[in-house]
mmCIF file of all heavy atoms in Angstrom:
data_model
loop_
_atom_site.group_PDB
_atom_site.id
_atom_site.type_symbol
_atom_site.label_atom_id
_atom_site.label_comp_id
_atom_site.label_asym_id
_atom_site.label_seq_id
_atom_site.Cartn_x
_atom_site.Cartn_y
_atom_site.Cartn_z
ATOM 1 N N ALA B 66 27.053 40.745 -4.103
ATOM 2 C CA ALA B 66 26.544 40.977 -2.748
ATOM 3 C C ALA B 66 25.018 40.936 -2.738
ATOM 4 O O ALA B 66 24.396 40.370 -1.830
ATOM 5 C CB ALA B 66 27.055 42.316 -2.228
ATOM 6 N N CYS B 67 24.397 41.543 -3.774
ATOM 7 C CA CYS B 67 22.934 41.523 -3.852
ATOM 8 C C CYS B 67 22.425 40.083 -3.923
ATOM 9 O O CYS B 67 21.403 39.738 -3.335
ATOM 10 C CB CYS B 67 22.449 42.282 -5.080
ATOM 11 S SG CYS B 67 22.836 44.023 -5.043
ATOM 12 N N TYR B 68 23.146 39.252 -4.682
ATOM 13 C CA TYR B 68 22.715 37.862 -4.830
ATOM 14 C C TYR B 68 22.910 37.078 -3.536
ATOM 15 O O TYR B 68 22.043 36.326 -3.112
ATOM 16 C CB TYR B 68 23.485 37.177 -5.977
ATOM 17 C CG TYR B 68 22.745 37.278 -7.280
ATOM 18 C CD1 TYR B 68 23.014 38.296 -8.177
ATOM 19 C CD2 TYR B 68 21.742 36.365 -7.610
ATOM 20 C CE1 TYR B 68 22.329 38.405 -9.366
ATOM 21 C CE2 TYR B 68 21.055 36.455 -8.795
ATOM 22 C CZ TYR B 68 21.345 37.476 -9.678
ATOM 23 O OH TYR B 68 20.656 37.577 -10.850
ATOM 24 N N VAL B 69 24.073 37.279 -2.916
ATOM 25 C CA VAL B 69 24.373 36.494 -1.721
ATOM 26 C C VAL B 69 23.411 36.852 -0.589
ATOM 27 O O VAL B 69 22.982 35.987 0.176
ATOM 28 C CB VAL B 69 25.848 36.706 -1.305
ATOM 29 C CG1 VAL B 69 26.124 36.072 0.047
ATOM 30 C CG2 VAL B 69 26.777 36.109 -2.345
ATOM 31 N N THR B 70 23.038 38.129 -0.510
ATOM 32 C CA THR B 70 22.114 38.539 0.549
ATOM 33 C C THR B 70 20.657 38.395 0.119
ATOM 34 O O THR B 70 19.758 38.787 0.843
ATOM 35 C CB THR B 70 22.363 39.994 0.959
ATOM 36 O OG1 THR B 70 22.253 40.815 -0.220
ATOM 37 C CG2 THR B 70 23.739 40.185 1.563
ATOM 38 N N SER B 71 20.441 37.841 -1.101
ATOM 39 C CA SER B 71 19.080 37.666 -1.636
ATOM 40 C C SER B 71 18.270 38.958 -1.541
ATOM 41 O O SER B 71 17.186 38.999 -0.974
ATOM 42 C CB SER B 71 18.336 36.546 -0.903
ATOM 43 O OG SER B 71 18.938 35.318 -1.182
ATOM 44 N N ASP B 72 18.827 40.011 -2.101
ATOM 45 C CA ASP B 72 18.156 41.311 -2.094
ATOM 46 C C ASP B 72 17.143 41.348 -3.250
ATOM 47 O O ASP B 72 17.475 41.730 -4.376
ATOM 48 C CB ASP B 72 19.205 42.421 -2.252
ATOM 49 C CG ASP B 72 18.580 43.799 -2.203
ATOM 50 O OD1 ASP B 72 17.330 43.887 -2.220
ATOM 51 O OD2 ASP B 72 19.332 44.783 -2.141
ATOM 52 N N PHE B 73 15.900 40.934 -2.969
ATOM 53 C CA PHE B 73 14.922 40.807 -4.047
ATOM 54 C C PHE B 73 14.349 42.144 -4.484
ATOM 55 O O PHE B 73 13.468 42.193 -5.339
ATOM 56 C CB PHE B 73 13.803 39.845 -3.646
ATOM 57 C CG PHE B 73 14.300 38.450 -3.430
ATOM 58 C CD1 PHE B 73 14.053 37.780 -2.244
ATOM 59 C CD2 PHE B 73 15.034 37.812 -4.414
ATOM 60 C CE1 PHE B 73 14.517 36.501 -2.049
ATOM 61 C CE2 PHE B 73 15.509 36.529 -4.224
ATOM 62 C CZ PHE B 73 15.260 35.864 -3.034
ATOM 63 N N SER B 74 14.828 43.236 -3.903
ATOM 64 C CA SER B 74 14.402 44.537 -4.426
ATOM 65 C C SER B 74 15.115 44.833 -5.738
ATOM 66 O O SER B 74 14.727 45.726 -6.477
ATOM 67 C CB SER B 74 14.691 45.637 -3.399
ATOM 68 O OG SER B 74 16.077 45.859 -3.319
ATOM 69 N N VAL B 75 16.162 44.071 -6.024
ATOM 70 C CA VAL B 75 16.830 44.206 -7.317
ATOM 71 C C VAL B 75 16.157 43.239 -8.290
ATOM 72 O O VAL B 75 16.083 42.038 -8.032
ATOM 73 C CB VAL B 75 18.337 43.881 -7.186
ATOM 74 C CG1 VAL B 75 19.025 43.966 -8.540
ATOM 75 C CG2 VAL B 75 18.987 44.814 -6.197
ATOM 76 N N ALA B 76 15.644 43.794 -9.385
ATOM 77 C CA ALA B 76 14.838 42.985 -10.305
ATOM 78 C C ALA B 76 15.607 41.752 -10.768
ATOM 79 O O ALA B 76 15.069 40.651 -10.845
ATOM 80 C CB ALA B 76 14.422 43.831 -11.506
ATOM 81 N N ASN B 77 16.883 41.939 -11.069
ATOM 82 C CA ASN B 77 17.693 40.853 -11.599
ATOM 83 C C ASN B 77 17.826 39.705 -10.592
ATOM 84 O O ASN B 77 17.765 38.529 -10.957
ATOM 85 C CB ASN B 77 19.077 41.418 -11.955
ATOM 86 C CG ASN B 77 19.899 40.448 -12.764
ATOM 87 O OD1 ASN B 77 20.833 39.856 -12.255
ATOM 88 N ND2 ASN B 77 19.527 40.258 -14.013
ATOM 89 N N VAL B 78 17.978 40.068 -9.317
ATOM 90 C CA VAL B 78 18.095 39.039 -8.275
ATOM 91 C C VAL B 78 16.755 38.333 -8.103
ATOM 92 O O VAL B 78 16.694 37.103 -8.011
ATOM 93 C CB VAL B 78 18.556 39.670 -6.945
ATOM 94 C CG1 VAL B 78 18.689 38.592 -5.876
ATOM 95 C CG2 VAL B 78 19.862 40.404 -7.117
ATOM 96 N N PHE B 79 15.686 39.133 -8.095
ATOM 97 C CA PHE B 79 14.351 38.553 -7.950
ATOM 98 C C PHE B 79 14.072 37.520 -9.033
ATOM 99 O O PHE B 79 13.549 36.442 -8.764
ATOM 100 C CB PHE B 79 13.307 39.679 -7.987
ATOM 101 C CG PHE B 79 11.924 39.211 -8.303
ATOM 102 C CD1 PHE B 79 11.227 38.406 -7.402
ATOM 103 C CD2 PHE B 79 11.315 39.549 -9.501
ATOM 104 C CE1 PHE B 79 9.949 37.958 -7.701
ATOM 105 C CE2 PHE B 79 10.043 39.103 -9.796
ATOM 106 C CZ PHE B 79 9.358 38.304 -8.895
ATOM 107 N N GLU B 80 14.472 37.839 -10.273
ATOM 108 C CA GLU B 80 14.137 36.949 -11.376
ATOM 109 C C GLU B 80 15.004 35.693 -11.429
ATOM 110 O O GLU B 80 14.629 34.705 -12.051
ATOM 111 C CB GLU B 80 14.263 37.694 -12.708
ATOM 112 C CG GLU B 80 13.001 38.471 -13.038
ATOM 113 C CD GLU B 80 13.256 39.614 -13.990
ATOM 114 O OE1 GLU B 80 14.299 39.596 -14.671
ATOM 115 O OE2 GLU B 80 12.425 40.533 -14.028
ATOM 116 N N ASN B 81 16.169 35.731 -10.806
ATOM 117 C CA ASN B 81 17.100 34.623 -10.997
ATOM 118 C C ASN B 81 17.637 34.011 -9.720
ATOM 119 O O ASN B 81 18.648 33.322 -9.753
ATOM 120 C CB ASN B 81 18.286 35.095 -11.846
ATOM 121 C CG ASN B 81 17.846 35.582 -13.199
ATOM 122 O OD1 ASN B 81 17.413 34.811 -14.035
ATOM 123 N ND2 ASN B 81 17.918 36.886 -13.401
ATOM 124 N N SER B 82 17.007 34.283 -8.602
ATOM 125 C CA SER B 82 17.547 33.717 -7.378
ATOM 126 C C SER B 82 16.417 33.299 -6.447
ATOM 127 O O SER B 82 15.250 33.605 -6.690
ATOM 128 C CB SER B 82 18.457 34.737 -6.690
ATOM 129 O OG SER B 82 19.145 34.113 -5.629
ATOM 130 N N HIS B 83 16.808 32.603 -5.408
ATOM 131 C CA HIS B 83 15.844 32.103 -4.444
ATOM 132 C C HIS B 83 16.567 32.047 -3.113
ATOM 133 O O HIS B 83 17.742 31.671 -3.058
ATOM 134 C CB HIS B 83 15.365 30.707 -4.865
ATOM 135 C CG HIS B 83 14.158 30.229 -4.119
ATOM 136 N ND1 HIS B 83 14.249 29.647 -2.880
ATOM 137 C CD2 HIS B 83 12.845 30.265 -4.431
ATOM 138 C CE1 HIS B 83 13.031 29.332 -2.469
ATOM 139 N NE2 HIS B 83 12.156 29.704 -3.391
ATOM 140 N N SER B 84 15.882 32.402 -2.043
ATOM 141 C CA SER B 84 16.589 32.503 -0.762
ATOM 142 C C SER B 84 17.083 31.151 -0.269
ATOM 143 O O SER B 84 18.045 31.056 0.470
ATOM 144 C CB SER B 84 15.676 33.139 0.284
ATOM 145 O OG SER B 84 14.506 32.356 0.418
#
Side-chain angles (χ1 to χ4, degrees):
Chain B
C67 296
Y68 267 94
V69 171
T70 56
S71 293
D72 182 351
F73 296 126
S74 71
V75 178
N77 192 254
V78 181
F79 161 67
E80 276 157 19
N81 300 291
S82 190
H83 193 277
S84 58

